[in-house]
């Protein structure tokens, strides 16, 4: 009986457990169904009030239109003469850069490092006006900002901390968002110094949210840089200068919450309260360092001036919205590159997954703009990968896939948020993802207009706000230049997809694999900064005992000899600026290639002192900006060819040995039609290739015609098979020769004899991969080279080519960098003409023309500080330089 009773109890408990499990599963299923069924009927924003939705006006909305900067109304202001979207206070900042103030009065009298309990919370317009009046009487004040980015597409400033000698102010920028222009005059006053730490982002955020522009700044991070401090963080300065510890994890808190917690108030006050004291201490160090290292009283303040100049250079930055060819395209390319490469590049599964990734990224970008959320809060990268690979077929499976993926991802926003994944945007619009996976929304171009109409149309499910209203106006314009014609939709979509895939492969293969700028520093023996450079240059000086290492991270050296000149003395501020590894055009930082603003075909022939160790005209561009810049450069080359009457391409070549015996004939023909002397390098190679491959099988008349073409190169003499093999290599660059040698069925026995210079060419490339320009150039080389810019044939005869040694072997012997099928000979003649007629001033003017072409084509927004169209480019070589003429003569 006891056994039976125990069995009944076990069965009863098991039944209860099973019923409970079934009940919980059913509850979860119905709850999930309830969530997913609301996707087409309502949006979570109807019940959730976001703090930024109280803003009456925003300067940077979520549309695709560019950001419009403040335009001053003062008729006397020189800003009206500038670009309509230029810096409104550029003139004032430029004056500070040219005539910096060296007296900094950050503190008055005694200053207590103890943080009191009293501070002023500014949340009304009246309080803000009173604060502006207080700040207008100060010589300087400290500033810091706190941002919120998780629940906003562009992010917004949630708090500004301002500290004077007497008080700390915390400005509630959420409550006062529409009135913050009250503080604009004090921030733009050049007579009041604003103290920041690491202000690169702060100045952009203030512009974005309030049209507040900082004029006259002292950045303590820049002062640390000049002083070569081992660390440059504010936490380091607080600890070493003030003896105060701070918890930087509080920076990640939700600064929208009101009221702020006691810990958040303490953290916010600390960041600004001690900045004036830190700035005062650092300026004292800068003055002391200048006094100790200065050999002349006139140089006393140069360290302090350098810190001030670098700080004010930051003020010139302008906020710009990030742009891309198609919504979400940059994120999609990144996800495909990082996560999908292992799924088989050529498989149908991989192609389908990549296509779905592009759709999901475009959808995510639009939904983030509509709901003013960050893209990671809408749908994480990991969830996109999981959906693309698994491709669930029901809304329940989609929901579970996203939830399980985000739960397994430690970096998910849900780890710091009370809202669990999937996030509200997904729950409200799950049907969109379902339709994309089932390809009911098949075309990428069709997805976004449909979703936008569904969300913000006449019967849209989502509320309209100041952030998404202009999407309705600007979205059609954004897509018009990228969408394919409707009648060929499917075909053009495939072509577009193929182009994107090809672009990604090109980026993966040819973009720089490591940072180009290391921002290592070289100091003169008196402590003045000479330039920023890469590690190889530092090692060159160290290995020769010409410098000593003064800092390890990032590396910095001090020269043990007196260098030739100083950058600031020569007006070359460009070389004492840090440089970012991003595209100078659009700011793309995930890939970039080197681009030479002045084409190599000209620059290689410049005098040594105008090109050696001059990086001013070598910039980083993404593939898209590179294509734009290259196209503009090619167009301008044609204008140059027309202007100077020097054709872009060599059209006649003659064997150097044969040319010696026919020089008199060439000279006689120089005044008449000289097209009979020599042969087109392209026709020569084509004829030689045809004769080697099919000579025995082709009709005798055709064979004789091709033989005459080759004989024209060799002066009319009989030719052998060896001559044909040599002719194959005439005019080719080293890269083209190697490519030819790898082709099957072609025996090239004399490649070393014709051009044994591959190594030299490779070294000249300085480790750079072929760029878009080089790919396009290869296409040009395969066309008939008959483009002088105006279609005429003047100056195309053998005399001109012989004078410049443009004849096969001799050309390569004299200058291995030239290819007869490119623009090398054209560039050589242009530079020689400029030097002969106008001297070095002609070359400098020529360089300025090319810089202007680049600026007009790319409209670069991220050029390094000090970059200038009128940059001189000249340099003198010191005693130890390998380019010193005296040293080169002694080595020869």
């Amino acid at each position: 009986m006891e056994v039976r009773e125990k069995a009944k109890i076990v069965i009863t408990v098991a039944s209860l457990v099973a019923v409970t499990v079934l009940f919980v599963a059913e509850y979860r299923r119905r709850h999930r169904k309830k969530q997913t069924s609301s996707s087409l009927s309502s949006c979570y924003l109807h019940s959730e009030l976001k703090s930024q939705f109280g803003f009456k006006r925003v300067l940077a909305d979520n549309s695709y239109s560019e950001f419009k900067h403040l335009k001053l109304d003062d008729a006397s202001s020189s800003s009206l003469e500038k670009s309509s979207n230029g810096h409104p206070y550029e003139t004032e900042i430029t004056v500070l850069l040219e005539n910096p103030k060296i007296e900094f009065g950050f503190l008055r009298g005694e200053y207590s490092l103890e943080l009191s309990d009293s501070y002023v919370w500014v949340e009304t317009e009246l309080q803000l006006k009173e604060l502006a009046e207080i700040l207008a009487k100060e010589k300087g004040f400290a500033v810091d900002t706190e941002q919120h980015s998780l629940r906003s597409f562009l992010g917004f400033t949630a708090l500004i901390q301002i500290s004077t000698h007497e008080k700390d102010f915390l400005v509630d920028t959420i409550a006062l968002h529409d009135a913050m222009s009250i503080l604009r005059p004090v921030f733009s006053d050049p007579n009041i110094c604003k103290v920041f730490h690491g202000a690169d982002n702060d100045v952009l955020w203030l512009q974005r949210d309030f049209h507040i522009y900082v004029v006259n700044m002292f950045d303590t991070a820049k002062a640390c840089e000049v002083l070569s401090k081992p660390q440059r963080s504010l936490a380091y300065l607080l600890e070493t200068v003030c003896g105060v510890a701070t918890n930087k994890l509080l920076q990640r808190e939700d600064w929208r919450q009101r009221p702020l917690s006691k810990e958040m108030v303490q953290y916010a006050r600390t960041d600004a309260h001690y900045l004036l004291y830190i700035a005062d201490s650092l300026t004292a160090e800068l003055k002391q360092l200048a006094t100790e290292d200065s050999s002349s009283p006139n140089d006393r303040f140069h360290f302090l001036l350098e810190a001030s100049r670098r700080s004010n250079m930051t003020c010139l930055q302008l906020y710009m919205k990030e742009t891309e060819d198609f919504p979400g395209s940059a994120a999609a390319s990144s996800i495909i590159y990082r996560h999908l490469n292992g799924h088989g590049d050529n498989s149908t599964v991989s192609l389908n997954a990549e296509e779905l990734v592009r759709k999901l990224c475009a959808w995510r970008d639009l939904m983030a703009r509509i709901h003013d959320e960050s893209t990671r809060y809408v749908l994480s990268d990991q969830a996109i990968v999981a959906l693309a690979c698994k491709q669930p077929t029901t809304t329940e499976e989609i929901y579970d896939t996203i939830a399980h993926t985000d739960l397994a991802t430690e970096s998910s926003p849900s780890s710091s948020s009370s809202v669990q994944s999937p996030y509200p945007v997904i729950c409200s619009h799950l049907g969109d993802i379902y339709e994309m996976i089932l390809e009911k929304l098949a075309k990428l171009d069709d997805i976004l207009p449909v979703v936008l109409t569904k969300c913000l149309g006449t019967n849209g499910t989502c509320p309209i706000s100041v952030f998404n209203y202009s999407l309705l106006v600007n979205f059609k314009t954004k897509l018009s230049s990228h969408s394919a014609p409707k009648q060929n939709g499917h075909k053009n979509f495939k072509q577009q997809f193929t182009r994107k895939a090809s672009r990604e492969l090109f980026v993966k293969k040819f973009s720089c694999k490591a940072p180009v700028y290391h921002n290592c520093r070289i100091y003169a023996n008196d402590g003045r900064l000479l330039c920023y450079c890469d590690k190889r240059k530092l090692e060159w000086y160290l290995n020769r005992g010409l410098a000593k290492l003064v800092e390890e991270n990032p590396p910095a050296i001090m020269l043990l000899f007196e260098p030739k000149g100083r950058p600031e003395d020569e007006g070359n501020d460009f070389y004492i600026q840090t440089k970012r590894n991003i595209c100078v055009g659009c700011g793309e930082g995930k890939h970039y290639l080197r681009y030479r603003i002045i084409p190599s075909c000209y620059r290689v022939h410049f005098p040594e002192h105008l090109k050696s160790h001059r990086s001013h005209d070598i910039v980083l561009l993404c593939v898209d900006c590179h294509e734009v810049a290259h196209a503009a450069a090619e167009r301008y080359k044609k204008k140059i060819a027309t202007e100077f009457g020097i054709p872009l391409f060599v059209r006649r070549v003659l064997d150097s040995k044969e040319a010696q015996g026919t020089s008199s004939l060439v000279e006689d023909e120089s005044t008449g039609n000289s097209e009979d002397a020599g042969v087109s390098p392209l026709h020569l190679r084509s004829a030689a290739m045809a004769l080697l491959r099919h000579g025995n099988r082709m009709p005798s008349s055709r064979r004789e015609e091709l033989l005459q073409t080759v004989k024209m190169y060799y002066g009319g003499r009989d030719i052998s098979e060896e001559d044909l093999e040599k002719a194959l290599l005439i005019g080719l660059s080293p890269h083209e020769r190697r490519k030819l040698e790898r082709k099957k069925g072609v025996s090239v026995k004399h490649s070393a004899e014709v051009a044994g210079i591959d190594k030299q060419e490779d070294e000249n490339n300085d480790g750079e991969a072929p760029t878009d320009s080089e790919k396009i150039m290869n296409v040009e080389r395969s066309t008939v080279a008959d483009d002088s810019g105006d279609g005429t044939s003047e100056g195309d005869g053998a005399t001109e080519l012989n004078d410049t040694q443009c004849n096969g072997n001799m050309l390569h012997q004299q200058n291995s960098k030239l290819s007869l099928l490119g623009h090398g000979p054209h560039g050589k003649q242009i530079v020689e003409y400029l030097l002969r007629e106008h001297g070095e001033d002609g070359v400098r003017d020529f360089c300025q023309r090319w810089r202007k072409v680049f600026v007009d084509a790319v409209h670069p927004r991220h050029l390094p500080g000090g970059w200038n169209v009128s940059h001189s480019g000249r340099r003198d070589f010191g005693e130890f330089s390998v380019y010193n003429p005296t040293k080169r003569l002694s080595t020869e």
Side-chain angles (χ1 to χ4, degrees), residues 372-478:
D372 195 37
E373 305 281 8
S374 64
T375 53
R376 62 194 175 106
Y377 189 82
V378 175
L379 188 62
S380 67
D381 288 354
Q382 292 79 8
I384 289 178
V385 173
L387 290 172
C389 295
K390 296 180 181 179
Q391 299 193 9
T393 56
T394 65
T395 54
E396 288 81 3
E397 289 179 3
I398 294 172
Y399 187 97
D400 289 338
T401 299
I402 297 172
H404 294 157
T405 301
D406 285 340
L407 186 63
T409 305
E410 295 181 0
S411 60
S412 168
S414 62
S415 61
S416 59
S417 172
S418 59
V419 181
Q420 297 298 312
S421 174
Y423 305 113
V425 179
I426 296 296
C427 296
S428 297
H429 302 276
L430 197 59
D432 293 341
I433 299 179
Y434 174 75
E435 291 180 357
M436 280 186 286
I437 293 177
L438 295 186
E439 295 190 352
K440 292 183 179 180
L441 292 174
K443 299 177 183 177
L444 185 60
D445 293 337
D446 292 343
I447 293 174
L448 303 185
V450 170
V451 172
L452 183 66
T453 303
K454 187 186 300 183
C455 293
L456 299 179
T458 305
N459 299 314
T461 60
C462 304
I464 294 178
S465 69
V466 292
F467 294 95
N468 61 30
Y469 176 75
S470 56
L471 273 173
L472 293 171
V473 179
N474 297 318
F475 190 76
K476 186 175 181 180
T477 304
K478 171 68 178 176

Side-chain angles (χ1 to χ4, degrees), residues 119-248:
Y119 65 94
V120 180
W121 178 263
V122 181
E123 60 180 349
T124 68
E125 193 168 332
L126 178 61
Q127 288 177 307
L128 191 63
K129 290 179 180 178
E130 292 174 351
L131 173 60
E133 293 174 0
I134 293 172
L135 297 179
K137 299 174 183 177
E138 297 287 334
K139 290 185 177 180
F141 56 87
V143 188
D144 191 29
T145 67
E146 301 300 337
Q147 301 291 312
H148 180 77
S149 59
L150 178 62
R151 300 298 306 277
S152 172
F153 183 72
L154 295 175
F156 61 88
T157 304
L159 187 73
I160 293 181
Q161 306 98 282
I162 298 176
S163 290
T164 65
H165 186 273
E166 292 85 9
K167 292 182 180 180
D168 297 332
F169 301 87
L170 300 183
V171 182
D172 185 353
T173 52
I174 295 178
L176 294 170
H177 181 275
D178 300 317
M180 286 301 296
S181 59
I182 293 172
L183 293 183
R184 187 180 302 144
V186 293
F187 274 87
S188 60
D189 189 339
N191 297 312
I192 304 174
C193 184
K194 277 66 68 175
V195 182
F196 285 80
H197 181 88
D200 297 80
N201 288 325
D202 293 297
V203 296
L204 300 179
W205 292 333
L206 291 173
Q207 294 173 16
R208 175 196 66 193
D209 295 335
F210 316 118
H211 268 173
I212 289 178
Y213 297 82
V214 181
V215 179
N216 190 1
M217 177 203 297
F218 186 81
D219 190 335
T220 51
K222 301 296 183 184
C224 288
E225 187 178 291
V226 174
L227 289 168
S228 299
K229 293 283 187 182
Q231 295 183 40
R232 294 162 196 172
S233 67
L234 182 56
Y236 167 78
L237 290 176
L238 286 169
E239 186 173 349
T240 56
V241 178
C242 306
V244 174
T246 183
N247 181 11
K248 276 297 177 182

Side-chain angles (χ1 to χ4, degrees), residues 97 100 102 218 222-223 225-227 286 301-313 523 527-530 532 568 573 575-578:
L97 289 171
I102 59 175
F218 186 81
K222 301 296 183 184
E225 187 178 291
V226 174
L227 289 168
L286 289 165
F301 294 106
H302 68 267
F303 283 94
L304 184 54
L305 293 179
E306 175 66 14
S308 173
R309 190 184 62 79
R310 295 189 193 184
S311 299
N312 283 309
M313 285 294 295
Y523 292 100
R528 295 173 69 180
L529 179 66
L530 290 177
Y532 286 88
E568 60 267 32
D573 285 354
Y575 296 101
I576 52 177
Q577 305 292 330
T578 56

Side-chain angles (χ1 to χ4, degrees), residues 511-559:
S511 62
C512 299
K513 304 302 187 295
V516 175
Y517 300 124
H518 300 160
N519 288 318
C520 304
R521 287 156 292 149
I522 297 181
Y523 292 100
N525 50 6
D526 62 357
R528 295 173 69 180
L529 179 66
L530 290 177
C531 67
Y532 286 88
C533 63
D534 59 14
K535 294 180 181 178
R536 288 187 302 173
K537 190 168 185 177
L538 295 194
E539 292 169 356
W540 188 92
Y541 284 104
L542 292 173
N543 293 339
R544 288 161 176 78
L546 301 175
K548 63 178 180 180
L549 189 67
V550 295
E551 190 173 339
E552 293 186 356
N553 189 23
I557 62 172
M558 180 175 289
L559 301 182

